Amino acid sequence: MDYLAEAIELAVKNVKEGGRPFASVIVRDGRILATGVNLSAQTNDPTAHAEILAIRAASQLLQSESLRGCEIYTTCEPCPMCLGALYWAELDRVVFAVSRDVASRFYPGERRYHRADDFYAQYALPFGQRRLPMQLEQREEGIQLFQFSAEKGTL
């Protein structure tokens, strides 16, 4: 089966229904476990990206936060948020149909804190240099929280 073609077909359907051109298919042992389409426009949820929704569905199905042994096929190179989720989910492989460089040619203008063509670069900057204002207010209680969690084995 052509899983990338399946993702593209799901994305075309999503665009026809008013959504964005992003869809993902998660596969394990030659079987589709979960799919996701970008529902941000339909749900007013900026985190409702195809990869995130597919990861959530597959994780629930497998009752595991690790998706080792799985691959994801997606219509576009994952954005930084989705890329982070893919790292956390530990999939074996990511296959995508369109690079971010090509996709960025179709995006309208600039968002408040990034453009499609420099989104990844924002993450590489020290947090004080990013367009999104960020500030560290280190708290001893916060450090103790992480120490407590490590001792409990919940990290």
Side-chain angles (χ1 to χ4, degrees):
M1 177 176 219
D2 186 344
Y3 303 114
L4 204 48
E6 181 72 19
I8 292 168
E9 187 176 310
L10 288 169
V12 167
K13 183 176 185 275
N14 194 44
V15 169
K16 288 178 180 177
E17 295 172 355
R20 297 195 174 119
F22 306 103
S24 296
V25 174
I26 294 180
V27 176
R28 185 176 194 181
D29 298 327
R31 190 177 117 236
I32 294 177
L33 288 182
T35 63
V37 296
N38 184 301
L39 296 176
S40 294
Q42 297 96 313
T43 63
N44 299 311
D45 178 354
T47 68
H49 287 204
E51 297 92 335
I52 301 290
L53 298 179
I55 288 169
R56 288 176 183 165
S59 295
Q60 289 300 306
L61 181 69
L62 296 175
Q63 291 295 288
S64 175
E65 64 185 81
S66 174
L67 297 179
R68 290 182 186 182
C70 297
E71 298 178 332
I72 190 167
Y73 297 82
T74 190
T75 55
C76 189
E77 183 175 353
C79 75
M81 177 181 71
C82 292
L83 184 59
L86 291 166
Y87 271 98
W88 280 106
E90 303 180 302
L91 289 104
D92 290 358
R93 185 166 73 133
V94 178
V95 180
F96 52 94
V98 177
S99 73
R100 69 182 188 231
D101 295 331
V102 171
S104 70
R105 296 190 320 223
F106 300 96
Y107 275 83
E110 186 169 317
R111 307 269 318 208
R112 182 171 183 193
Y113 296 119
H114 74 281
R115 296 182 314 268
D117 64 351
D118 80 345
F119 201 7
Y120 292 81
Q122 285 292 304
Y123 284 79
L125 294 172
F127 69 84
Q129 294 176 17
R130 295 177 186 154
R131 286 189 188 126
L132 173 64
M134 300 180 83
Q135 175 180 331
L136 171 64
E137 289 187 21
Q138 188 157 304
R139 302 283 176 100
E140 185 60 34
E141 313 89 273
I143 296 169
Q144 291 169 358
L145 167 65
F146 276 82
Q147 180 178 348
F148 174 66
S149 182
E151 290 167 0
K152 298 284 284 179
T154 59
L155 277 179

